[in-house]
Amino acid sequence: MAEILQPGADSLRKVVSALTSGEVVALPTETVYGLAAVINREDALEKIFSVKARPLIDPLIVHVVDLSSLMKLADVDDVLFNKLRALTDAFSPGPLTFVLKKKKGVSDKITAGKKTVAIRLPAHPLFREILLQTGPLAAPSANPFGYLSPTRPEHVLESIGDKIPYILDGGPCEVGVESTIIDVSGKKATILRPGAITAEQIEEVLKEKVEPYRPLVSTDPTAPGMLKQHYSPQTKLRLFTEEEQLLNTESFEERGKGGRVAVVYLSREAAQRSSYQKEEIFWLSEDGSLETVARNVFDLLQRLDGLHFDAIYFQVPGKKGIGIAINDRLSRAAAKFRT
Ligand code: TXA
Ligand code: MG
């Protein structure tokens, strides 16, 4: 079983030495916990895929400490460099990943054979300290492929703890959903995955239009991270909006069968207005703040998944700001239960 390491000089030494000798280790980032490996060892990169049972066609994100380290991995002309500098000045370190043309030396294991590489500058101080000693680290979320993303060390321990030596405890993740991915390798900047940093915020910095996120409706396996069905819990998950809940209070089919149903609201206030008597009621924030909802969404889903309800009914926020990212993760988590 993995050892959960508390931050400190000793722990950092252990983590750095494991990484440089080709082990994979779970590390905290501000978004979700990552499963890290050095990028210059093929065996270490392969371990990421085997620990996660992740298909090799799903490319990894490389984490670097600053823009000059990014420049060593990507082909960037002057025009793009200026854009990157503006974006990193505004948002980095932080939850924004750039898809860029890769330099030759970047392993095909990382890019899944693509000509582009995804790179971000993570904000968590522990991750940054480690990067200074190891150099760039490839790190997908530290969960089994297709399951909910980990936002606390326990989530990692429960799901892949038997397959890795260490989990560095950096506390609960501040953002709670994965980074925004923006493809800047082509003519028009395009959001590939919504996150805490929105298209509007990016447009404001770039002073140009950004292609907004368009969810894939297919099950095209060329980018499994973008699959319609992803992040799934084991318990049946159904989503409702505030309006639906008001209109259709009898719609919970599990209720009629006498099943145990959990109902999750965005705010305490919404939970208190709930008309459900028999169900167990939960809420994600006191006041409906979507930042708080994002921070708690994967944690609550994982806790509820462990409580073996017959169904979890989950309120989704409006598609605005970080609500777009929360909506995206929840609708993919619920996709396999949709009939
Ligand atoms: O917040 C995050 O980004 C977290 C933390 C650990 O940094 N990482 C993360 O990694 O979410 P992962 O592997 O769960 O998701 C990475 C996704 C891939 O599934 C793929 O969709 C996209 O990033 N990606 C990676 N490289 C790409 C590329 N060259 N072109 C397009 N998409 C790419
Ligand atoms: Mg992931």
Side-chain angles (χ1 to χ4, degrees):
M1 260 307 177
E3 188 183 344
I4 297 190
L5 299 173
Q6 294 312 308
D10 241 24
S11 298
L12 288 190
R13 253 196 308 277
K14 279 186 186 167
V15 165
V16 168
S17 121
L19 285 166
T20 49
S21 59
E23 288 300 326
V24 296
V25 173
L27 301 180
T29 86
E30 76 281 24
T31 56
V32 301
Y33 274 73
L35 185 64
V38 288
I39 62 168
N40 52 7
R41 283 186 63 146
E42 296 288 296
D43 59 336
L45 294 170
E46 277 161 23
K47 274 185 204 160
I48 288 183
F49 289 91
S50 65
V51 166
K52 280 182 64 87
R54 177 177 174 119
L56 288 162
I57 51 168
D58 194 4
L60 305 173
I61 295 175
V62 178
H63 298 65
V64 296
V65 79
D66 55 22
L67 186 54
S68 75
S69 321
L70 174 151
M71 293 295 289
K72 294 189 182 125
L73 302 170
D75 244 338
V76 173
D77 64 19
D78 289 349
V79 176
L80 181 55
F81 180 75
N82 287 330
K83 290 183 186 176
L84 283 178
R85 198 164 50 189
L87 288 173
T88 50
D89 280 349
F91 304 118
S92 300
L96 182 60
T97 296
F98 306 101
V99 171
L100 299 154
K101 294 203 180 77
K102 71 160 202 168
K103 280 214 161 107
K104 251 212 196 102
V106 179
S107 167
D108 278 337
K109 292 250 154 52
I110 292 171
T111 64
K114 285 176 189 280
K115 294 200 165 64
T116 53
V117 60
I119 308 178
R120 86 176 187 99
L121 283 59
H124 199 292
L126 289 173
F127 203 120
R128 288 175 58 79
E129 231 175 299
I130 291 162
L131 283 175
L132 287 173
Q133 298 184 51
T134 58
L137 294 171
S141 48
N143 52 312
F145 181 72
Y147 192 60
L148 303 164
S149 294
T151 56
R152 291 168 183 264
E154 311 85 86
H155 300 157
V156 183
L157 188 71
E158 278 157 29
S159 63
I160 55 170
D162 57 338
K163 300 188 176 72
I164 58 176
Y166 302 123
I167 301 166
L168 182 59
D169 188 345
C173 297
E174 228 176 276
V175 177
V177 293
E178 301 83 346
S179 60
T180 303
I181 301 180
I182 182 160
D183 186 347
V184 285
S185 69
K187 278 220 176 74
K188 197 160 186 198
T190 305
I191 304 284
L192 298 183
R193 180 174 71 184
I197 293 167
T198 63
E200 291 75 20
Q201 285 176 292
I202 294 171
E203 283 175 345
E204 219 166 278
V205 171
L206 289 181
K207 314 249 182 295
E208 65 181 47
K209 270 302 223 195
V210 167
E211 238 356 91
Y213 170 63
R214 298 214 192 292
L216 274 190
V217 280
S218 76
T219 45
D220 176 4
T222 55
M226 310 282 166
L227 279 184
K228 190 174 76 177
Q229 182 177 315
H230 207 63
Y231 308 106
S232 305
Q234 252 122 53
T235 314
K236 187 189 284 182
L237 177 67
R238 295 199 186 281
L239 309 180
F240 64 94
T241 61
E242 193 167 18
E243 297 76 29
E244 279 163 357
Q245 123 94 2
L246 294 174
L247 291 174
N248 192 3
T249 49
E250 288 304 317
S251 70
F252 294 180
E253 59 185 63
E254 282 72 17
R255 198 156 119 132
K257 299 178 202 149
R260 267 178 77 227
V261 173
V263 187
V264 179
Y265 292 94
L266 298 178
S267 68
R268 179 202 282 270
E269 200 220 347
Q272 283 168 342
R273 274 190 278 120
S274 173
S275 51
Y276 305 119
Q277 307 284 318
K278 270 182 18 212
E279 287 73 19
E280 289 175 51
I281 307 291
F282 301 83
W283 58 90
L284 287 156
S285 73
E286 286 299 312
D287 55 2
S289 140
L290 291 187
E291 277 66 36
T292 311
V293 168
R295 193 176 305 136
N296 294 329
V297 65
F298 279 129
D299 179 48
L300 184 58
L301 262 176
Q302 271 164 96
R303 277 199 289 134
L304 295 179
D305 205 20
L307 295 177
H308 307 292
F309 285 97
D310 292 284
I312 304 167
Y313 282 80
F314 218 99
Q315 185 183 4
V316 287
K319 291 183 185 164
K320 274 224 145 135
I322 199 173
I324 299 173
I326 301 166
N327 245 289
D328 168 66
R329 306 309 191 275
L330 284 171
S331 67
R332 288 197 270 164
K336 78 172 180 197
F337 307 107
R338 224 165 272 146
T339 44

